[in-house]
Amino acid sequence: QVQLVESGGGFVQPGGSLRLSCAASRNMFAAKSMGWYRQAPGKERELVAAIAGGGGGMKNYADSVKGRFTISRDKAHTTVYLQMNDLKPEDTAVYYCKIAVAWGDLWGQGTQVTVSS
C-alpha cells in the first residue's frame, strides 16, 4: 500500500512563501497525475495545481494561484512539491496532495497553511 506524507505547512504573513512536499513510499512513474488540493473552512475541496504523469508533465493551475504557485516533482517521481509565493489570506486552507493511479486516488493526510498578519 502506498503511503503519502505531506510536510511544509505552517503560519506565514501575507506576501510570504511556503513550500509543501508530498512524499510517496515508492515511485509513482505509473501515476496518471500528481496534484495539490485545498479545503478552506466551510468550502469544498478545490484543485490548486496538478502535473500530468509520464514524461510530459503538463501542468495546470487554478486561476487564483497562477503566477504565484509552482508545482513540480522529483526525477524519481516519488515527491511532488508546491512552491507557494506571495501568499494571501485567502490561501488559508488545509492542503492535500493527491496522486491518481490506475486503481483510484491516493490522498495525503493534509497540511495546514495559515496566512495572516
Side-chain angles (χ1 to χ4, degrees):
Q1 186 174 359
V2 180
Q3 304 292 328
L4 302 182
V5 179
E6 300 169 11
S7 61
F11 181 94
V12 65
Q13 292 186 337
S17 298
L18 286 173
R19 189 191 196 205
L20 305 183
S21 299
C22 174
S25 52
R26 63 174 176 85
N27 74 69
M28 292 281 102
F29 286 114
K32 295 187 290 185
S33 68
M34 305 173 81
W36 288 92
Y37 288 69
R38 67 186 180 188
Q39 187 166 19
K43 295 187 177 181
E44 294 187 355
R45 192 172 297 188
E46 63 175 358
L47 173 69
V48 177
I51 181 168
M58 187 173 64
K59 303 174 184 179
N60 67 289
Y61 297 91
D63 288 343
S64 59
V65 306
K66 283 180 181 177
R68 300 188 297 123
F69 291 10
T70 302
I71 189 170
S72 63
R73 64 184 175 208
D74 67 340
K75 290 183 178 180
H77 289 217
T78 59
T79 306
V80 59
Y81 304 97
L82 185 68
Q83 178 66 43
M84 305 186 294
N85 298 328
D86 190 23
L87 282 160
K88 303 177 180 182
E90 51 264 41
D91 295 318
T92 295
V94 178
Y95 284 70
Y96 300 88
C97 71
K98 188 191 88 170
I99 298 179
V101 294
W103 60 91
D105 294 334
L106 307 173
W107 289 92
Q109 80 282 4
T111 185
Q112 176 70 45
V113 171
T114 303
V115 185
S116 176
S117 55

